Amino acid sequence: MSRVFSFLNKYKWIIAAVCAVLLLAGITILAKELWNPGREEVKAGVQYLKELESKDINSVEADVKAVKKQSQIDAIEAGELSLWAQFSDYVIFGDSRTVGFSYHEFLDSQRVIADGGYTIADIATYEDRIVALNPSYLFLCTGLNDVSIGYWNTPEEYVTAYEEVVQELMSKLPDTDIYINSIFPAQDPAFERSSKWLEIPDYNAALKEWCEEKGYHYIDNTQVYEEHRDLYESDGIHFRKDFYQYWAMNILAEVDE
């Protein structure tokens, strides 16, 4: 027995090297087998990676948000998730459309700062209140009056003014994520009151481009409008109670957690 131990001790490095070679060979064979291009699992994986390669970042992010939004919808419809409970540590600022969030008692009226006629020019009036609440998320939901009231004659002028507002808010709320909602279009018979509302798509295009350029959070409500425009009030401006859940889900889908 002592001879065996002596032999093993004498040639232990050689034995170790041989074992290492055998182990490496085994791993190589296993890897080759697992990465056999003919395997269906590998084919599917390679195809998925190629699809990701062909997409730009914005497209991938859009897909992720779409999946997140659908998951939320499924969970809410199944009774597994409370939509309104997902809103926490927030402030929503907006116009008469935004009032619906508190009017229908979906959200805390102390955190929904909204009234008829409000524009981004009114944010300064409530800045101290917003700062005192110090929310993690601030959702800006103006636009209807901004377009029609006449303070800004073009989308470019509006975006310039909006930039000043956002910069001021960021300086006072450095830890708050600010989200800028696109403007929901108006529809007949609203244009009898203001033909300026026909220009809302142009304002949205300018807002989106500006947000992308500056890296601001932009909430595109286009799909919500297209899918639920039947939930507008008869004035073609305001929303019925059921509309708000879809708007809220779209907002939450954009929130970076």
Side-chain angles (χ1 to χ4, degrees):
M1 182 66 71
S2 62
R3 289 182 179 180
V4 172
F5 281 117
S6 178
F7 175 82
L8 292 174
N9 187 57
K10 183 176 180 180
Y11 296 103
K12 62 183 179 181
W13 296 113
I14 297 175
I15 294 171
V18 170
C19 290
V21 169
L22 291 175
L23 178 61
L24 181 60
I27 292 173
T28 301
I29 292 171
L30 179 61
K32 285 182 177 180
E33 177 59 28
L34 291 175
W35 188 249
N36 181 353
R39 284 169 55 95
E40 290 303 317
E41 297 90 337
V42 174
K43 285 182 178 179
V46 170
Q47 180 61 33
Y48 178 70
L49 290 174
K50 287 181 177 178
E51 289 175 359
L52 284 181
E53 268 187 340
S54 66
K55 292 185 176 182
D56 59 29
I57 294 298
N58 290 335
S59 178
V60 172
E61 288 180 350
D63 288 347
V64 170
K65 287 175 182 176
V67 170
K68 178 182 177 182
K69 182 178 178 181
Q70 189 58 52
S71 296
Q72 287 177 334
I73 292 173
D74 293 342
I76 290 167
E77 291 180 344
E80 300 169 354
L81 183 68
S82 170
L83 170 61
W84 305 110
Q86 303 309 302
F87 284 84
S88 61
D89 196 14
Y90 66 93
V91 166
I92 296 181
F93 182 91
D95 50 33
S96 57
R97 288 168 157 180
T98 312
V99 170
F101 283 116
S102 56
Y103 176 79
H104 295 296
E105 300 183 342
F106 294 132
L107 296 174
D108 183 357
S109 60
Q110 296 301 309
R111 291 185 172 274
V112 178
I113 304 173
D115 206 349
Y118 281 4
T119 71
I120 57 170
D122 295 290
I123 293 176
T125 303
Y126 297 93
E127 185 178 283
D128 290 344
R129 180 176 165 187
I130 297 172
V131 171
L133 288 168
N134 192 28
S136 294
Y137 308 101
L138 172 59
F139 303 106
L140 303 180
C141 307
T142 62
L144 184 72
N145 305 301
D146 306 60
V147 172
S148 65
I149 208 164
Y151 289 163
W152 308 280
N153 294 317
T154 66
E156 292 72 26
E157 289 180 13
Y158 180 54
V159 165
T160 299
Y162 217 146
E163 171 68 13
E164 294 178 3
V165 170
V166 170
Q167 286 297 320
E168 172 68 13
L169 289 170
M170 290 172 64
S171 70
K172 298 292 182 65
L173 296 163
D175 298 321
T176 299
D177 287 328
I178 300 172
Y179 288 79
I180 298 165
N181 275 254
S182 70
I183 308 167
F184 282 101
Q187 54 189 33
D188 285 330
F191 306 119
E192 295 174 7
R193 289 179 55 180
S194 176
S195 60
K196 286 284 289 183
W197 286 329
L198 290 168
E199 299 176 27
I200 286 177
D202 297 330
Y203 278 76
N204 278 335
L207 283 173
K208 185 175 183 179
E209 182 180 355
W210 163 60
C211 287
E212 289 176 349
E213 179 184 334
K214 294 291 185 177
Y216 297 152
H217 298 294
Y218 178 74
I219 299 177
D220 190 338
N221 292 305
T222 302
Q223 186 175 355
V224 179
Y225 167 71
E226 291 176 347
E227 293 181 355
H228 305 290
R229 57 190 302 175
D230 59 313
L231 293 176
Y232 270 54
E233 294 285 2
S234 59
D235 62 5
I237 301 169
H238 299 98
F239 312 136
R240 297 176 186 172
K241 182 178 180 179
D242 290 344
F243 185 91
Y244 287 90
Q245 63 179 323
Y246 300 108
W247 186 4
M249 281 189 283
N250 197 51
I251 289 174
L252 291 175
E254 295 293 327
V255 173
D256 295 328
E257 297 176 347

